[in-house]
Amino acid sequence: MRVLPILFFVSHILFGQTDEITFMEHISPIIYNKCTECHRPGEVAPYSFTEYAEVLNHALDIKSATESGYMPPWQPDPNYTTHALLGERFLTIEEKDLISQWVEGGGLEGDPNLEAEMPFFSEGSAIGEPDLVFTMESEYLIEGNNMDDYRVFVFPTNFEVDTFIRAIEFRPDNREAVHHAIM
């Protein structure tokens, strides 16, 4: 039985296997599946995370934002239900630790063959052609002071009978200023 540990040790030395955390193998699946939905060209986040160089360029910010829980923005408690919610973007403790270790380890790129596949992101509406679109009656000026601005806007539905709503999608016109909503 001592042969297996010896073989593992020898193969580890001969083939140069390490426990290094790399973007391609460990971090790209997290970033692409939990961040890139918003962090890509034409979407709400201020910079793109669609490739290694972009993520490396913001590595310290990503580490800080994920450790603090500021990013990704996800309010529901993941422990509240045993069922996943559509579009969940919270990070597990293990994922946060991996990101921190990757940044602290120098942000290694790794083998490009191990990079996670980029998810498919639809253009425009993520839920399809809407039956109804509500727009604001007048513009609202955002000061641009980098502070959350909570406002209540009421959109009259003009429904004459009780109506079942299956989905709501929030799509602001000014994505540089507005990218989160509580509904």
Side-chain angles (χ1 to χ4, degrees), residues 7 12 17 21 24 37 44 46-47 65 75 77 79 84 99 107 117 120 122 139 146 156 163 165 172 179:
L7 283 174
H12 188 74
Q17 296 172 349
I21 297 168
M24 296 300 173
E37 180 179 353
V44 299
Y47 32 80
Q75 296 300 316
D77 180 352
N79 299 313
I99 291 169
E117 188 173 318
F120 171 77
S122 62
E139 292 182 357
N146 208 26
T163 304
I165 297 174
H179 50 87

Side-chain angles (χ1 to χ4, degrees), residues 108-130:
L108 300 175
E109 181 175 13
D111 181 352
N113 294 318
L114 299 176
E115 184 176 18
E117 188 173 318
M118 184 68 65
F120 171 77
F121 298 113
S122 62
E123 292 290 325
S125 174
I127 60 175
E129 187 67 31

Side-chain angles (χ1 to χ4, degrees), residues 113-169:
N113 294 318
L114 299 176
E115 184 176 18
E117 188 173 318
M118 184 68 65
F120 171 77
F121 298 113
S122 62
E123 292 290 325
S125 174
I127 60 175
E129 187 67 31
D131 295 322
L132 217 54
V133 175
F134 299 106
T135 56
M136 294 180 61
E137 293 178 3
S138 60
E139 292 182 357
Y140 175 76
L141 177 65
I142 297 171
E143 293 181 27
N145 58 8
N146 208 26
M147 301 293 292
D148 287 339
D149 186 9
Y150 292 99
R151 294 286 180 251
V152 175
F153 299 101
V154 177
F155 294 86
T157 65
N158 298 320
F159 293 150
E160 295 185 13
V161 296
D162 289 345
T163 304
F164 179 76
I165 297 174
R166 182 175 300 151
I168 296 174
E169 182 177 29

Side-chain angles (χ1 to χ4, degrees), residues 1 6 8 40 42 62 67 74 94 137 160 166 176:
M1 290 316 264
I6 293 170
F8 175 76
R40 60 191 169 96
I62 293 168
E67 282 179 341
W74 185 253
E94 294 80 12
E137 293 178 3
E160 295 185 13
R166 182 175 300 151
E176 290 182 17

